[in-house]
Amino acid sequence: MNSIASSIGISALLVAFGLPTWCPYLGVMVSAFGFALFWRALLRCDRRFWVATLWYAFVQAIQISWMLSTDYMGPAIIIVYLLLTFAIGLQFGLLSAWIKPGGPIGIVQAFAMGGFWVAMEWMRTLPFNGFAWNPTGLALADTRWAVQFAAVVGMYGLSFWVIVSNVFALRAMQSMRKVTIAAWIAVVVTPYVIGGVNHWFCCRLIEKAPSVHALLIQTAILPEQRDFVRAYKDQYILPIDQWRRIVDLLPAPGESIDLIVLPEASLAGGAFSFVYSLDEVKELLQDILKLPTPKKPLAGWDKTRGQWRVTNAYVAQAIADAYGAHVISGFHVVDKAGQYNAALHFSPGEKVPKRYAKRILVPMGEYTPFARVEGFSEWLQQSFHLGASFDVGIAPVLFHANGAVPLRMGISICVEETHSHLIHDLKKMGANLFVNVTNDVWFPASRLPEQHYHIARVRAVENGVSLVRACNTGVTGAVDPSGKTIATLAVSESQPQALSVSVPIVSHATLYTWWGDTAIFVLSAFWIGLYFLKRLLRNSWLS
């Protein structure tokens, strides 16, 4: 009994911490045999379903422990955290129910279990806009060779392979025959071999690729600093001073910059509210000098005050004009159609910015679930300190930037980066650079920003496209299609920073580009169907 408990405990810690976020390169062991150690002990347990459920709930409790940060979400988030860990534990309990005492597991069952787990991870993305965090495949994102396997099968494919590798490890442990051990080794090394070949090819393309100079701004403005709240009035920063924190990070005019990126919801007041007088903006930008002519919708004449009033969009456009750079920033946008969490693109010399509205909204953060259920929706709003809900964007958008290196920038906002199909759609539209604007401030002093960043790395690899990210307090940085981190800023909740980085513009067609998640879904369905067909035929023959 002690050996069973030891195996269960050791395997739980190994799998729980075997992510790039926690212990780099421990994922190599997790993807090879971490789950198999648990399953071998599980075969000697009673009530295997519940043991497996509680084991994986414990694993998840560690991996998504960032949700225990209650500073902004309130204590009610702990209820969501407990429900999520238990629900994902139940999924693993169902997977582990496939494993029963007896002879070694068959090859068809091994691949069917991988397919079943893909279905479980996909199901997490369905309710309430989904929970796409923490896929099992992140264990293979520890090394640049293994993560390149995502260019073939995507993140779901990495999860599929982690489970299949572990079932083959269990088969080898059960029989200890040379043939099963050899089969396990062959399965384990496959992502590294295929990924290694793809990594070599990708690096050759990166060496020849042109690059652009990007400036990524990490604003480090906390919610109580950005928006006036009476209880925190001493911490509030005036909107013009919020801009001053950003302008102080800009280089001297004349320096060559192709792209400036600011984070999600970067400043108070939204994009088109007349927050500032033209005179205070002139004082703010006195070293830049070149200001757009005040015109609607970026500026408006205030008859009462006898002065021009200008918007955040006006300031962003002034920066774009002064540097001859394209500026992308997250802003709240309110118009006749609704209220949106949006990203705006300011091109030098343009009058009206292009806009992308966020399509995946965060429940209890950007909208209230069960809004029509009176009483319950009010309780949710009070428990999670919710304001008005945003409206949902309807379409993906590419921002185009002409220049020495033409850019077709695929835009995502915050959590959208965790949904593989959204980023794949941008690549299919022709994106040659991914731009993500994020605000990970809602779970301070947690591992959420790092986990978010490592998922972003896989998105770049899957699609063969470089990626830049500007975060308020997350991981601001750039990644090339090989999965290599070009540069990042340290996560800071108090110190505004800017990252100047040269980004290769690479957009090569990966196998994942061609078939997206469809291939792994079809493959999963094939193996599950084949497994149950074999069982049906065997039972018919026995009867």
Side-chain angles (χ1 to χ4, degrees), residues 31-51:
S31 59
F33 56 79
F35 292 92
L37 290 177
F38 167 73
W39 283 329
R40 184 176 66 170
L42 183 68
L43 290 173
R44 292 178 284 168
C45 295
D46 297 325
R47 299 182 178 178
R48 290 187 296 278
F49 171 79
W50 289 111
V51 172

Side-chain angles (χ1 to χ4, degrees), residues 13-35 63 136-143 146 158 161-163 165-166 188 191-192:
L13 293 175
L14 178 63
V15 174
F17 292 103
L19 293 177
T21 312
W22 289 92
C23 299
Y25 301 107
L26 197 61
V28 174
M29 290 187 283
V30 173
S31 59
F33 56 79
F35 292 92
Q63 292 186 343
T136 308
L138 278 178
L140 279 171
D142 264 347
T143 67
L158 297 185
W161 214 262
V162 168
I163 296 302
S165 297
N166 274 272
V188 168
Y192 298 89

Side-chain angles (χ1 to χ4, degrees), residues 192-203:
Y192 298 89
V193 173
I194 296 177
V197 172
N198 197 71
H199 182 266
W200 177 88
F201 172 73
C202 188
C203 288

Side-chain angles (χ1 to χ4, degrees), residues 84 87-88 91 117-133 156 359-363 367 369-370 415 418-421 517 521:
L84 265 175
I88 298 173
Q91 289 186 323
W117 191 243
V118 166
M120 292 295 98
E121 289 199 344
W122 173 76
M123 286 175 62
R124 295 180 210 166
T125 67
L126 299 179
F128 309 115
N129 282 347
F131 186 79
W133 299 93
Y156 285 115
R359 293 177 289 157
I360 300 289
L361 301 180
V362 179
Y367 78 96
F370 309 109
V415 71
T418 69
H419 291 261
S420 57
H421 67 285
D517 293 323
F521 290 162

